[in-house]
Amino acid sequence: MTLIKGKVWKFGDNINTDVMAPGFVFNAPWEEVRRVVLHIHPKFTREAKPGDVIVAGKNWGCGSSREQAPANLKKLGMGCVVAESFGRIYFRNSVAIALPSIVCPGVSEAFNEGDELELELESAQVRNVTRGTEIKGEALSKDMLGIIAKGGIIPALREKLKIKKLGSFAKPRNQ
Amino acid sequence: MGMTMAEKVLSRASGRREVQPGEYVTAKVDQVMSQEAFAEVYRILKEEGVERVWNPSKIAIMLDHYVPAPSVAQAEVHKLIREGVKKYRIEGWHDMQAGICHQIMGEKGHIIPGELVLGTDSHSTTYGAFGAAGAGIGVSEMAYVLAMGELWMRVPFTIKFVIKGNLPERVMSKDIILFIAGKYTTEVAQYKAIEFKGPTLERMSIASRMTMANMGVELGAKFAFFEADQKTLDYLLPYVREDAKKRVGFFKADPDARYEQVYEIDVSRLEPQVAIPHDVGNVRPISEVEDIKVNQAFLGSCTNGRFEDLEIAAAILKGKRVHAETRLIVFPASWEIYLKALREGILETLIEAGAVICNPGCGPCLGGHMGLLAAGEICIASSNRNFKGRMGSTEAEVYLGSPATVAASAIAGRIVDPRQSKQ
Ligand code: SF4
């Protein structure tokens, strides 16, 4: 059982990937990028801390296929995102880089910014520790949980390549 | 039990007789597309020691987002991509001499109706215009696909839009898809496949179908299908490689397929539509947004940079001048379109009217280069996204409209109904 706990940052509906990973900082160093991740919430850009979590409305991560969107949130140290719904490519990307994303209708109502959230990943049980309430999200599939447990789809690939002993297909990874 | 187009593709790709919406499958991928994102894919594969990719003949790569390289950093990205293409002997390599990826996939014969095509770009739904299951994925997943040739997929529920009625003159397929985004929201197809159907679409050109399939992703869709009909075959066959021609055929859903929802739309009295800042779902009929002053008019992108788009713009701009305080920039979607427009005098008409013609590519669409916006500036664009900061400054505003609306607005210097400028 995996427990993820953290202080909530709240966002509304239709927050797109462009504001999580703006095109104008694609080639910029991380120090510059981190200041504009989710720039639509100035307090978040200044005060978000590793271990915090995000509660969002509908269609979180709509827009482009840029993997930097969930990757930037992970780099900032966000523990998970619980949203009413997700953009599908964002959702896939977050599984691929092992940032838990949980669909949870009603979650916007269930949290205020600053509340303490606790997520039981496998069952998708979401608790508001501050209010003492609970709400249930949609559990991820076994495959998705497996990828997240391995640390993402690349570690999963590494394992497959090793198991399959693909000969010249893959040479051992340089350490 | 009858199957939708998505169910047909995914059952075949996963080696099953039948699949149900909501089920998870491991699907064999038929074709892959990557653009500048391939640099990151290649970096991952290199780091994991992958020496060979699963099938070099099923991979297409081209440069389009930043061409020619606007900075040294981008030049390095392109260099790395060329190295990766050589190393893995990628057969579908087009460098920067082709055009925007989604246009090129059809024009270079990489799309076959009924096949599963994954691309490192969200607008890969465009391939649905040919009856293919096109969907976007990220770079890590693409690295996995290039090594393994397969990926987990969830079988989507399917919704259907049935479009009826004759489109009024100068009202385009872009107006239909914007209308859908406005009326049914940008979430209507979340995690779902769309099938576009109906007499209006049967009569519609492949280019116009591509515009709608392209923006399927703006409705949240995983796939955005049109039936592969005679028009599709006529379009694709000249481009498809000899040995692949036998795979090109009609493709559609079973008559008794199950749909989660069916929407009917009559477009015979549709007004031109405009998406206002900063969301694709903020759509208004043009009569409600007229008179907004525009600093820039952008005609291009994988949504509306095709020949018919340049043609209608030229018809509107012929003998007129772009407004003195507005700049019109034009990006043909591919070299083939560029050449055709050149030979048929379309580019000449546009240049005489005061347009700046740029090379095929994405240009400013995603805020890369060639026509970015300053703070406080407003652009009317034929592209697909008007997110805050998408085309340059976060203080700029982007309005989305059809190529006809862009052309008419360029002349007026403000957003106007293209039907009014008709004489
Ligand atoms: S034209 Fe715009 S939307 Fe299309 S692929 Fe290029 S950047 Fe993406």
Side-chain angles (χ1 to χ4, degrees):
Chain A
M1 201 180 73
T2 318
L3 272 185
I4 299 162
K5 244 181 160 174
K7 196 185 92 161
V8 167
W9 290 97
K10 262 194 85 173
F11 289 86
D13 295 341
N14 297 315
I15 308 296
N16 64 68
T17 52
D18 279 50
V19 302
M20 303 177 198
F24 56 82
V25 290
F26 264 7
N27 295 310
W30 173 241
E31 275 317 304
E32 218 170 287
V33 176
R34 69 174 308 147
R35 285 199 295 266
V36 294
V37 175
L38 288 169
H39 55 77
I40 46 163
H41 190 322
K43 205 163 161 220
F44 176 89
T45 55
R46 285 195 308 268
E47 296 176 20
K49 292 202 181 48
D52 290 351
V53 301
I54 288 171
V55 166
K58 289 189 266 190
N59 214 8
W60 174 263
C62 56
S64 95
S65 59
R66 58 190 71 171
E67 194 172 293
Q68 295 100 315
N72 282 350
L73 301 182
K74 198 176 177 194
K75 261 177 141 170
L76 283 177
M78 296 299 110
C80 64
V81 180
V82 184
E84 303 280 337
S85 67
F86 290 88
R88 66 161 283 278
I89 307 179
Y90 172 95
F91 184 80
R92 290 198 71 102
N93 282 336
S94 69
V95 174
I97 61 136
L99 173 69
S101 290
I102 298 293
V103 176
C104 183
V107 73
S108 290
E109 290 278 292
F111 284 87
N112 288 326
E113 190 151 283
D115 284 356
E116 177 90 356
L117 174 147
E118 187 178 84
L119 165 69
E120 200 182 290
L121 182 59
E122 290 77 4
S123 64
Q125 196 68 32
V126 183
R127 257 169 238 121
N128 185 331
V129 180
T130 311
R131 287 192 203 170
T133 53
E134 282 200 25
I135 178 169
K136 190 149 170 48
E138 293 170 18
L140 299 176
S141 75
K142 254 180 45 210
D143 282 355
M144 291 191 257
L145 286 171
I147 291 170
I148 290 173
K150 290 189 176 80
I153 198 162
I154 295 307
L157 171 65
R158 199 174 299 146
E159 208 166 272
K160 277 221 160 128
L161 294 175
K162 237 191 313 190
I163 294 169
K164 282 201 172 172
K165 293 211 181 61
L166 291 170
S168 64
F169 186 82
K171 66 174 195 286
R173 190 163 188 246
N174 299 328
Q175 290 302 328
Chain B
M1 177 50 76
M3 289 197 278
T4 63
M5 294 172 85
E7 287 154 18
K8 282 188 178 184
V9 173
L10 289 178
S11 61
R12 183 193 48 77
S14 59
R16 308 257 295 265
R17 183 127 37 86
E18 204 178 77
V19 291
Q20 300 293 332
E23 241 184 296
Y24 290 91
V25 299
T26 300
K28 296 247 180 284
V29 178
D30 296 303
Q31 172 70 43
V32 152
M33 186 291 292
S34 193
Q35 11 64 325
E36 271 88 339
F38 180 67
E40 191 56 23
V41 177
Y42 176 49
R43 200 191 54 70
I44 297 170
L45 290 172
K46 232 162 84 164
E47 210 175 291
E48 296 306 319
V50 174
E51 289 292 303
R52 278 198 278 145
V53 289
W54 121 93
N55 192 337
S57 73
K58 294 188 170 199
I59 302 166
I61 296 176
M62 64 289 286
L63 305 180
D64 63 354
H65 277 52
Y66 304 92
V67 289
S71 65
V72 176
Q74 270 306 323
E76 294 291 347
V77 167
H78 289 170
K79 190 172 108 182
L80 186 66
I81 292 171
R82 293 186 183 106
E83 179 194 307
V85 163
K86 262 205 190 128
K87 178 179 164 97
Y88 295 133
R89 299 170 201 268
I90 306 290
E91 289 177 24
W93 167 237
H94 306 291
D95 208 298
M96 55 175 254
Q97 291 91 341
I100 306 176
C101 54
H102 306 304
Q103 181 62 25
I104 293 321
M105 288 301 280
E107 265 179 26
K108 297 290 177 185
H110 298 303
I111 304 293
I112 308 262
E115 293 201 343
L116 176 62
V117 189
L118 299 181
T120 49
D121 191 282
S122 58
H123 293 101
S124 301
T125 51
T126 310
Y127 319 139
F130 307 104
I137 57 173
V139 291
S140 293
E141 291 201 313
M142 185 53 86
Y144 186 92
V145 169
L146 288 194
M148 307 302 294
E150 59 182 36
L151 193 65
W152 69 267
M153 293 249 122
R154 186 178 181 207
V155 181
F157 288 87
T158 299
I159 60 174
K160 183 153 76 171
F161 286 98
V162 182
I163 316 288
K164 292 184 189 151
N166 284 324
L167 271 179
E169 216 183 331
R170 291 198 176 169
V171 180
M172 304 180 72
S173 76
K174 174 66 157 286
D175 298 304
I176 303 180
I177 195 74
L178 286 175
F179 173 78
I180 292 174
K183 171 148 190 199
Y184 300 99
T185 81
T186 50
E187 275 193 297
V188 64
Q190 193 66 265
Y191 306 127
K192 293 171 194 157
I194 297 175
E195 287 182 19
F196 289 112
K197 220 178 139 56
T200 314
L201 309 184
E202 281 163 29
R203 290 189 296 269
M204 195 176 262
S205 68
I206 293 292
S208 294
R209 293 179 188 178
M210 288 173 81
T211 301
M212 292 178 65
N214 175 275
M215 288 193 69
V217 72
E218 310 306 334
L219 309 176
K222 178 185 199 118
F223 308 128
F225 290 105
F226 283 72
E227 286 179 355
D229 59 10
Q230 191 57 47
K231 270 191 187 162
T232 320
L233 271 48
D234 292 344
Y235 180 97
L236 287 179
L237 279 170
Y239 295 124
V240 169
R241 278 201 331 215
E242 268 326 300
D243 58 334
K245 281 199 185 348
K246 57 180 184 304
R247 303 203 326 262
V248 180
F250 298 122
F251 185 66
K252 53 174 151 181
D254 291 328
D256 56 343
R258 271 181 309 175
Y259 296 92
E260 195 189 65
Q261 191 74 252
V262 179
Y263 305 91
E264 287 201 13
I265 301 167
D266 183 346
V267 295
S268 51
R269 292 166 71 177
L270 189 69
E271 245 189 80
Q273 306 282 309
V274 175
I276 68 172
H278 297 282
D279 193 86
V280 185
N282 269 344
V283 177
R284 306 275 187 278
I286 198 156
S287 50
E288 288 178 24
V289 288
E290 276 189 311
D291 289 338
I292 299 216
K293 195 171 169 297
V294 292
N295 306 90
Q296 179 161 293
F298 166 41
L299 177 63
S301 86
C302 56
T303 315
N304 278 126
R306 280 174 273 281
F307 184 78
E308 66 176 29
D309 303 325
L310 304 186
E311 197 177 33
I312 193 167
I316 292 171
L317 281 151
K318 194 167 179 68
K320 305 257 171 53
R321 282 297 297 177
V322 171
H323 192 273
E325 289 177 29
T326 303
R327 30 190 210 267
L328 170 61
I329 51 174
V330 180
F331 294 75
S334 73
W335 283 54
E336 186 178 311
I337 294 165
Y338 193 13
L339 252 182
K340 187 166 185 224
L342 180 75
R343 289 188 178 128
E344 299 199 8
I346 302 271
L347 296 187
E348 192 178 326
T349 303
L350 294 173
I351 292 168
E352 276 174 354
V356 174
I357 314 287
C358 302
N359 58 293
C362 301
C365 174
L366 79 161
H369 63 153
M370 295 207 276
L372 303 190
L373 302 172
E377 287 196 323
I378 295 176
C379 178
I380 176 81
S382 71
S383 52
N384 47 38
R385 285 191 180 137
N386 59 349
F387 300 157
K388 202 171 171 58
R390 170 92 179 170
M391 212 174 279
S393 167
T394 51
E395 304 308 315
E397 294 188 343
V398 178
Y399 289 72
L400 304 176
S402 75
T405 299
V406 168
S409 304
I411 299 168
R414 57 192 171 82
I415 296 177
V416 288
D417 189 331
R419 296 171 303 178
Q420 280 169 14
S421 58
K422 193 149 200 287
Q423 293 173 338

